[in-house]
Amino acid sequence: AWIHMYMMNYCRDIAVEWYDKAVSDDPNDDPENYQLACMQRIWMFFLLKKEDEIISELREKVKSNPDNPRETDNLLVALIWAERFDEAYSIFKESIKKFPDDWRMYIHGGDIAKELKKYDEALEYYNRALEIWKKVLLKLKILKKHFSFLMK
């Protein structure tokens, strides 16, 4: 049993170390993988019953990077997972003023509004996320059309 316990602790520590390394890299180098690493790291802290610690850290990241929508969205996700919906709702309402075209934020806003039983608002936010995402897809199709010669 003690070997098993040692292995669990060792694996936990290594996982946290690798997530810390991944989120310390420049987010602009690979935004999608950075975001995935952030989500996994947040989940790891929740599994370790350290949700207050990660939420405090995310608040500091929002303060130090106020123009980065990913940092605000990460905080929203952590607050949703912590079931702090009123607080998440307040932050969401402020953040969409600053980041009106962030589809991920609207999805999370829909999740928050749904939990608060604000169903009409939730539907509105989900629809807004879909509108934004359709524009993103259209831009990708246009890029593919104009640069398809590079893919051959």
Side-chain angles (χ1 to χ4, degrees):
W2 67 269
I3 290 173
H4 181 69
M5 186 176 71
Y6 172 80
M7 288 173 43
M8 286 186 343
N9 288 327
Y10 174 78
C11 290
R12 177 205 60 214
D13 294 344
I14 293 297
V16 170
E17 183 181 318
W18 278 99
Y19 284 133
D20 287 347
K21 182 188 178 322
V23 299
S24 69
D25 292 342
D26 184 355
N28 297 317
D29 288 345
D30 189 347
E32 291 304 316
N33 278 330
Y34 174 80
Q35 187 62 22
L36 180 60
C38 287
M39 288 295 109
Q40 292 298 320
R41 185 171 179 272
I42 294 166
W43 185 243
M44 181 81 166
F45 273 73
F46 270 78
L47 290 174
L48 297 172
K49 306 291 187 218
K50 295 182 175 185
E51 52 269 5
D52 290 335
E53 182 180 330
I54 194 68
I55 289 171
S56 293
E57 179 185 308
L58 293 168
R59 285 186 206 288
E60 287 305 313
K61 285 188 175 190
V62 169
K63 285 180 188 173
S64 62
N65 299 304
D67 296 325
N68 184 335
R70 296 287 51 84
E71 303 295 2
T72 302
D73 194 49
N74 289 341
L75 176 58
L76 288 176
V77 168
L79 292 170
I80 290 167
W81 289 348
E83 299 182 0
R84 297 183 190 178
F85 302 114
D86 290 321
E87 184 180 355
Y89 183 76
S90 175
I91 292 170
F92 167 73
K93 293 297 275 186
E94 285 301 312
S95 67
I96 58 173
K97 294 174 188 172
K98 192 170 193 172
F99 310 112
D101 294 323
D102 191 296
W103 62 272
R104 287 181 182 113
M105 211 168 286
Y106 280 97
I107 289 173
H108 296 131
D111 294 344
I112 295 162
K114 181 181 68 168
E115 290 296 331
L116 293 173
K117 300 187 181 346
K118 297 179 181 201
Y119 300 116
D120 290 339
E121 274 187 64
L123 191 55
E124 176 187 330
Y125 299 141
Y126 290 136
N127 284 331
R128 179 69 180 128
L130 184 59
E131 287 173 22
I132 296 167
W133 184 238
K134 284 180 181 178
K135 290 177 187 175
V136 170
L137 286 178
L138 180 60
K139 288 177 186 177
L140 290 173
K141 286 180 183 179
I142 292 168
L143 284 173
K144 182 180 176 186
K145 180 180 175 184
H146 290 295
F147 293 102
S148 60
F149 67 93
L150 293 174
M151 296 179 187
K152 293 180 182 180

